[in-house]
Amino acid sequence: MGNSLKAIAAFVPSNECQKYLLEDLEEMPVDKMVDLSGRQLRRLPPHICSFRELVKLYLSDNNLNNLPPELEQLQNLQILALDFNNFKVLPLVVCTLKQLCILYLGNNKLCSLPLELRLLQNLKTLWIESNCLQCLPEVVCELSLLKTLHAGSNALRTLPAQLRCLQELRTIWLSGNLLSEFPPVLLDMPFLEVIDVDRNSIRFFPSLAHLPSLKLVIYDHNPCRNAPKVAKGVRRVGRWSEETPEPRKRSGAVIEITLDEKPSPPPATKPEPE
């Protein structure tokens, strides 16, 4: 009954209905976090943007397709969750939030990302999974501090060569795309630790044994004829993964990553910025 009332209230733009949806959230929370996930919101109430010390704002699982220009006032924001909404384009006001470290854009209807995204030079984690991207926007390659990129469940067929410029990138998740070959640019990224190309259309895997930082490669559910060769201690998940990998050609300990460390879709409690 409560969800039904919220769904009805979301269509009524009166102050009383907005107060009901926000549960009387009128003052800056002590923990500098506002979570309005799953409130059936069709617009973000502008008074939320008056909380200028806000650090975390969760707007997941609503009916948003735009954001108010007042959002620019939140210059201390580090985490912004816009996943599971109805965005067809990313509101440019998001690109003014220069302290953002984590940005969740998954499960929307995005076909591209604006060039202004390059202004988010503190961004370390970007979730753009489950959108309508047919190519990885090249502007992503300008996010110099990016460490984690989730781009699964789109329609990607290749990756831009400029991706090699992201020397801080450690994990890339590309599951559920349309890759017909292993992206060549990944072979030139020796700093990568986790590569996930699960559920694509890759028929042949080149050797990955030369990637000194690699710890985990997930290549299951591809029509491949071979398993990727990897250095000793690197974990593989896929067909023939039990075969002995190539010996490691450098000294040093290898930290193994378990399957449990592959992230599922964004949880109710989002990870903190590093």
Side-chain angles (χ1 to χ4, degrees):
M1 184 65 178
N3 287 336
S4 299
L5 287 175
K6 287 183 178 179
I8 295 172
F11 282 93
V12 183
S14 70
N15 291 334
E16 290 76 13
C17 287
Q18 286 297 308
K19 181 178 287 190
Y20 170 70
L21 291 171
L22 298 178
E23 297 178 359
D24 295 326
L25 179 62
E26 296 187 7
E27 295 184 0
M28 171 73 185
V30 176
D31 59 3
K32 299 182 180 181
M33 179 185 77
V34 169
D35 188 352
L36 297 177
S37 301
R39 303 294 182 93
Q40 307 290 333
L41 294 176
R42 292 182 173 272
R43 62 183 179 88
L44 177 64
H47 86 270
I48 297 297
C49 302
S50 67
F51 302 158
R52 299 197 178 200
E53 299 302 313
L54 204 63
V55 174
K56 308 169 191 175
L57 178 58
Y58 300 104
L59 300 173
S60 307
D61 193 19
N62 280 293
N63 296 306
L64 300 172
N65 58 27
N66 210 338
L67 294 171
E70 292 87 350
L71 190 72
E72 185 177 4
Q73 300 175 35
L74 303 183
Q75 287 301 311
N76 290 300
L77 207 62
Q78 296 181 28
I79 302 177
L80 177 60
L82 300 174
D83 45 329
F84 293 93
N85 276 285
N86 294 316
F87 291 101
K88 294 182 179 179
V89 296
L90 180 65
L92 292 182
V93 67
V94 172
C95 302
T96 68
L97 306 174
K98 296 182 180 180
Q99 296 305 312
L100 278 184
C101 296
I102 301 177
L103 178 58
Y104 295 94
L105 300 175
N107 290 273
N108 279 285
K109 302 173 183 177
L110 300 172
C111 295
S112 63
L113 293 174
L115 292 177
E116 289 81 357
L117 191 73
R118 61 165 65 104
L119 299 175
L120 301 182
Q121 284 299 309
N122 284 307
L123 205 62
K124 294 182 178 179
T125 299
L126 177 62
W127 294 66
I128 50 175
E129 80 288 354
S130 299
N131 276 286
C132 304
L133 299 170
Q134 296 186 8
C135 59
L136 184 68
E138 292 185 5
V139 67
V140 172
C141 304
E142 299 185 45
L143 302 174
S144 60
L145 295 184
L146 198 66
K147 297 184 68 174
T148 303
L149 176 61
H150 294 265
S153 299
N154 280 285
L156 305 182
R157 296 181 181 276
T158 186
L159 297 179
Q162 297 93 318
L163 195 68
R164 63 169 59 90
C165 297
L166 295 183
Q167 297 193 13
E168 296 299 318
L169 194 65
R170 296 296 179 265
T171 61
I172 185 166
W173 308 92
L174 300 166
S175 175
N177 276 288
L178 301 176
L179 301 172
S180 59
E181 66 172 345
F182 187 84
V185 66
L186 299 185
L187 300 175
D188 297 328
M189 301 178 71
F191 34 81
L192 283 176
E193 298 178 358
V194 178
I195 299 174
D196 178 10
V197 289
D198 184 28
R199 299 184 185 280
N200 277 277
S201 300
I202 301 173
R203 294 185 175 277
F204 175 79
F205 280 93
S207 173
L208 306 180
H210 67 289
L211 299 179
S213 299
L214 193 62
K215 299 172 183 175
L216 171 66
V217 56
I218 304 172
Y219 65 95
D220 208 7
H221 304 99
N222 279 281
C224 52
R225 304 189 302 270
N226 69 310
K229 294 181 179 180
V230 295
K232 185 177 181 181
V234 178
R235 179 155 188 197
R236 298 180 297 183
V237 178
R239 297 175 66 190
W240 312 293
S241 61
E242 68 280 359
E243 294 180 1
T244 304
E246 288 187 350
R248 180 173 287 274
K249 298 179 182 178
R250 68 180 182 93
S251 60
V254 176
I255 301 173
E256 293 213 359
I257 296 180
T258 64
L259 250 183
D260 292 338
E261 287 181 77
K262 180 183 178 183
S264 54
T269 302
K270 309 282 187 181
E272 302 291 332
E274 299 183 4

